[in-house]
Amino acid sequence: ERRGRRADGGGAFLQGWAGGYPEIVKENELFERYYRELGIVPAGEWDAFMAALREPLPATLRITGYRSHAKEILHCLKEKYFRELQDLEVDGQKVEMPQSLSWYPEELAWHTNLSRKILRKSPQLEKFHQFLVSETECGNISRQEAVSMIPPLLLNVSPHHKILDMCAAPGSKTAQLIEMLHADMNVPFPNGFVIANDVDNKRCYLLVHQAKRLNSPCIMVVNHDASSIPNLQIDVDGRKEILFYDRILCDVPCSGDGTMRKNIDVWKKWTTQNSLQLHGLQLRIATRGVEQLAEGGRMVYSTCSLNPIENEAVIASLLEKSQGALELADVSSELPGLKRMPGITKWKVMLKDGQWFEEWKDVPSNRQTQIRPTMFPVKDEEKLKTMNLERCLRILPHHQNTGGFFVAVLIKKSPMPWNKRQPKVHQKLPQRTGDTEVTAVNSGNGSDCIFEESTLAENEESKKMQELQNLDTEQSKKEGVCGPPPSKKMKLFGFKEDPFVFLPEDDPLFLPIQKFYALDPSFPKMNLLTRTQEGKKRQLYMVSKELRNVLLNNSEKMKVINTGIKVWSRNSDGEQFGCAFRLAQEGIYTLYPFIHARIINVCIEDVKILLTQENPFLSKFSSETQKKVKDMAMGSIVLKYDPDPEKPHDLQCPIVLCGWQGKTSLRAFVPKNERLHYLRMMGVEVFKAKRKEEELENKTEEEVQHRLVPTEEQERMDVEDKEHDLVIKMEGEIGEESSQSPMESSSMEIENKIENLDPSSKNANTHVSQEGKDTDASNVKD
């Protein structure tokens, strides 16, 4: 969503739920007349519905579900922070206890009516506030509206699913999808992946930072118009095949009248015109989605709007033109405890002047550009009955103190009618001389749609076009480079991205790494990539083999913003010890299963020393740790803590840390907020230490960070702190309420990009498209 609030890093997590707006009269006569007439609110509940819309929205948070320490975070929340809220009064008012969302699995989602102002009134609440901010920055907690959590849950994701998130920014739902892929943390590379797309180039970078907190090698962020997102092709046993997705999340831009409790300017700006302008775009995006859905696959269509023009009308039109290829899934038994209203089958269309139309034939010709036939309900009762529109679900704000929302779950039974005669692509790929050769895949005549059976002439033209394009990219393919698409192929705007260069199989860079860390023979080195074609490789990233397949076969048709996680960073001092690359913390959980050397098992007391002291001497550690280190060469190491079941009061989840062994010392390479997280989980009070840091007026965060990292890392941290500032600046200009600061990230993402943002992009109050421009990305989307 776009909001005109100041984004100040972690503080944004809990700002704005109360007192963040000037007084706005929460009245809109047209809104009331429209929804009273449509009857989407049950009889006798109208006053409760309107009263709920005028109340501030509760703050909701979600604990990251796939982490092994999710239970530890939940335990910490309930037993420590929530207990401190019991019987607490602020300004004479009793603080309400947070409540878990009954329908969210395993008590991993909670809501509270605490505002930012109240959180800062009491020392106990300030601790709670700092806990939320810090854990959010680590990726262990996400600030996310309750209703926004529903679509990913109804997708029923499994780790092997190929998933497309069509309109992904700001990324809270994308994060949920990534978590579901990694349901089993013992599998470093799930077979599935998430391709997260957004039309707005600037918002793509916010999406990157949301996704990066989860440190997954199975996420790719791309920048396309969702209504014409290109078909991708993959190599299946030496043949090119179109990529169809098992799951698609289609959370489209909408008028956002379900967000009135937090986007208060909707009250004065609401008009039916918003929905009429967006209907066409929503239908095109949904249509493009079902075209790319695999048979038997599931697509969730959702909006944060209550309007049937954006909801049931889109679904009914999609079902009608699918001619039985699609059906609405009955999800009434899923998410027990969630109060929902069924979809409606009858509605009318209203212009902004209040004029109603019941049928398309009643619309005068001068209004037929504003109102389209697909906006009206189906008149054929038999056809309407087979659609089962009542299987859609609408969430009303007063039923469980949430925002308003609409969800429909579609199952694809067979190809779409216009795709049924489309021939399978079975073009034999050329033999590769090495793992790094990239084979271009082009759709031939430049169109990104799935085609019907082509004529011979069209095939010849397609063949010529492909040969020409292959000549242009032949050199980069040989070098394993997946660069940006040619400018003539697609008109793309935004920051120029660095290429993705896969490490050649015989690259001399890898041998010392493999030897130093005793990597398992099964280590997929072909999945390593860098973002530079020339000069020294400073960072090594890793993607899953499935995303590698996508990258290699679609470099000419995709604009990839980011993919992969950092697994190694160049360390100039490391060369003298046998390896120029040190392990990166964000990639350690992916790498760890393959590492067989330089692992030191440490006890919980050792972990506390590593996380609280800057550069502790070896003599401070347990005798067991000292013995293990004694015969080990200097350089990057893995520090592993395994819980002891016989000590139930100790931390009961495993921890893997990146460290550095010096001549006389041992230290951890862990970002500050991640340090604070582990210490909290171990019961170490970190509040006072954090306060002390804040009181150092003349110390910047950069200087504080320098106390926590060795000298050779200072240059890198300088860059990362600048990136942090640039992201905060960017969030402020875009008006996006971001709940996190970026994790340690690479220069290819934002450096030298965000500083140049156009201030004209700042638009605090836009939540509908401009007239005649229904592809405007400023529409409200949670």
Side-chain angles (χ1 to χ4, degrees), residues 143-422:
R143 180 271 180 204
Q144 184 177 357
E145 191 184 341
V147 289
S148 168
M149 303 174 191
I150 297 169
L153 292 175
L154 290 177
L155 268 178
N156 289 353
V157 169
S158 293
H160 66 277
H161 283 149
K162 298 173 180 64
I163 306 165
L164 173 65
D165 190 348
M166 299 188 76
C167 310
S172 54
K173 299 181 187 73
T174 312
Q176 268 181 283
L177 297 173
I178 297 169
E179 291 172 34
M180 293 169 182
L181 279 185
H182 291 276
D184 184 354
M185 279 295 285
N186 294 318
V187 180
F189 293 101
N191 292 330
F193 55 77
V194 177
I195 293 179
N197 174 69
D198 202 84
V199 67
D200 189 315
N201 183 265
K202 294 166 187 172
R203 284 162 63 88
C204 281
Y205 291 91
L206 296 175
L207 179 58
V208 167
H209 286 293
Q210 176 80 292
K212 276 184 74 67
R213 298 180 311 141
L214 299 177
N215 299 331
S216 169
C218 305
I219 168 76
M220 180 188 288
V221 176
V222 299
N223 180 201
H224 291 277
D225 177 351
S227 64
S228 58
I229 193 166
N231 287 325
L232 303 184
Q233 291 178 318
I234 51 175
D235 175 357
V236 179
D237 298 326
R239 294 182 179 275
K240 288 188 291 187
E241 293 188 3
I242 293 172
L243 170 61
F244 289 100
Y245 300 94
D246 303 300
R247 297 289 186 268
I248 294 180
L249 179 56
C250 186
D251 186 51
V252 296
C254 66
S255 64
D257 57 21
T259 70
M260 284 176 140
R261 299 180 68 176
K262 60 180 179 181
N263 293 335
I264 301 183
D265 59 333
V266 176
W267 281 97
K268 61 181 180 182
K269 292 181 178 267
W270 188 91
T271 164
T272 55
Q273 190 68 18
N274 304 342
S275 297
L276 299 180
Q277 288 174 350
L278 285 164
H279 170 86
L281 172 65
Q282 292 162 339
L283 182 54
R284 289 199 302 277
I285 293 174
T287 302
R288 190 71 192 114
V290 294
E291 283 179 345
Q292 298 200 325
L293 190 63
E295 288 182 49
R298 179 178 276 221
M299 183 175 96
V300 169
Y301 174 91
S302 62
T303 74
C304 46
S305 167
L306 299 171
N307 201 325
I309 305 301
E310 302 176 61
N311 297 328
E312 284 91 346
V314 172
I315 297 301
S317 177
L318 200 56
L319 289 169
E320 187 168 28
K321 65 181 180 179
S322 82
Q323 298 176 19
L326 300 173
E327 74 171 20
L328 275 169
D330 182 359
V331 293
S332 56
S333 61
E334 297 182 37
L335 305 186
L338 178 67
K339 295 175 185 172
R340 63 196 95 184
M341 295 295 295
I344 61 175
T345 56
K346 305 290 180 188
W347 61 89
K348 297 185 287 185
V349 179
M350 186 171 81
L351 289 172
K352 62 181 177 181
D353 62 6
Q355 187 179 0
W356 288 97
F357 298 99
E358 292 198 24
E359 295 185 58
W360 167 247
K361 64 180 177 65
D362 301 331
V363 180
S365 58
N366 66 332
R367 297 291 193 184
Q368 288 182 3
T369 53
Q370 292 172 283
I371 299 176
R372 304 301 302 150
T374 52
M375 296 176 182
F376 292 90
V378 175
K379 290 297 179 185
D380 185 329
E381 290 295 331
E382 197 60 39
K383 190 184 288 185
L384 188 63
K385 189 177 178 181
T386 61
M387 286 184 175
N388 296 310
L389 287 179
E390 70 282 352
R391 291 181 178 177
C392 301
L393 56 102
R394 183 178 271 101
I395 310 295
L396 298 180
H398 64 293
H399 282 166
Q400 53 219 324
N401 197 13
T402 64
F405 213 70
F406 175 88
V407 186
V409 182
L410 292 157
I411 305 290
K412 188 171 182 179
K413 311 296 286 184
S414 61
M416 302 305 286
W418 55 91
N419 296 145
K420 278 183 179 173
R421 293 193 301 128
Q422 181 249 332

Side-chain angles (χ1 to χ4, degrees), residues 328-606:
L328 275 169
D330 182 359
V331 293
S332 56
S333 61
E334 297 182 37
L335 305 186
L338 178 67
K339 295 175 185 172
R340 63 196 95 184
M341 295 295 295
I344 61 175
T345 56
K346 305 290 180 188
W347 61 89
K348 297 185 287 185
V349 179
M350 186 171 81
L351 289 172
K352 62 181 177 181
D353 62 6
Q355 187 179 0
W356 288 97
F357 298 99
E358 292 198 24
E359 295 185 58
W360 167 247
K361 64 180 177 65
D362 301 331
V363 180
S365 58
N366 66 332
R367 297 291 193 184
Q368 288 182 3
T369 53
Q370 292 172 283
I371 299 176
R372 304 301 302 150
T374 52
M375 296 176 182
F376 292 90
V378 175
K379 290 297 179 185
D380 185 329
E381 290 295 331
E382 197 60 39
K383 190 184 288 185
L384 188 63
K385 189 177 178 181
T386 61
M387 286 184 175
N388 296 310
L389 287 179
E390 70 282 352
R391 291 181 178 177
C392 301
L393 56 102
R394 183 178 271 101
I395 310 295
L396 298 180
H398 64 293
H399 282 166
Q400 53 219 324
N401 197 13
T402 64
F405 213 70
F406 175 88
V407 186
V409 182
L410 292 157
I411 305 290
K412 188 171 182 179
K413 311 296 286 184
S414 61
M416 302 305 286
W418 55 91
N419 296 145
K420 278 183 179 173
R421 293 193 301 128
Q422 181 249 332
K424 279 196 171 183
V425 178
H426 279 315
Q427 181 179 344
K428 191 71 178 174
L429 292 175
Q431 291 297 312
R432 296 180 177 178
T433 56
D435 283 331
T436 58
E437 185 174 345
V438 182
T439 303
V441 175
N442 296 298
S443 54
N445 58 9
S447 171
D448 289 323
C449 295
I450 300 176
F451 309 110
E452 293 190 9
E453 202 165 358
S454 304
T455 63
L456 186 62
E458 286 172 329
N459 285 336
E460 285 299 315
E461 183 65 30
S462 171
K463 191 174 178 182
K464 287 176 186 175
M465 179 70 81
Q466 184 165 338
E467 285 172 0
L468 285 171
Q469 288 172 340
N470 283 349
L471 283 172
D472 289 339
T473 56
E474 185 179 351
Q475 186 59 37
S476 65
K477 296 179 203 321
K478 286 180 180 175
E479 295 170 358
V481 179
C482 304
S487 57
K488 290 181 182 178
K489 173 79 173 160
M490 296 193 311
K491 290 183 179 178
L492 294 167
F493 302 95
F495 300 124
K496 184 179 183 297
E497 284 300 319
D498 295 323
F500 295 85
V501 186
F502 282 92
L503 214 62
E505 189 174 9
D506 56 352
D507 196 313
L509 196 75
F510 183 70
L511 198 59
I513 294 175
Q514 187 175 35
K515 187 176 178 182
F516 192 71
Y517 298 102
L519 295 178
D520 193 271
S522 66
F523 179 76
K525 64 180 178 181
M526 66 173 61
N527 298 351
L528 289 173
L529 61 87
T530 64
R531 297 299 302 270
T532 178
Q533 284 178 263
E534 298 170 2
K536 265 192 173 181
K537 299 176 175 68
R538 302 198 63 82
Q539 319 283 356
L540 293 181
Y541 304 89
M542 193 158 209
V543 293
S544 65
K545 70 174 183 179
E546 287 77 16
L547 277 187
R548 179 183 188 271
N549 192 344
V550 173
L551 264 176
L552 289 177
N553 287 294
N554 299 279
S555 60
E556 273 67 55
K557 57 168 64 178
M558 277 198 310
K559 182 173 183 187
V560 180
I561 301 297
N562 191 272
T563 191
I565 52 170
K566 191 196 307 181
V567 285
W568 278 291
S569 290
R570 183 178 287 276
N571 186 314
S572 54
D573 288 349
E575 290 186 35
Q576 59 186 300
F577 307 124
C579 183
F581 286 84
R582 70 163 182 85
L583 298 161
Q585 181 65 28
E586 56 261 55
I588 193 59
Y589 285 96
T590 298
L591 275 186
Y592 177 74
F594 301 101
I595 297 174
H596 294 309
R598 307 197 62 76
I599 298 172
I600 298 174
N601 288 90
V602 291
C603 64
I604 195 162
E605 294 307 320
D606 288 342

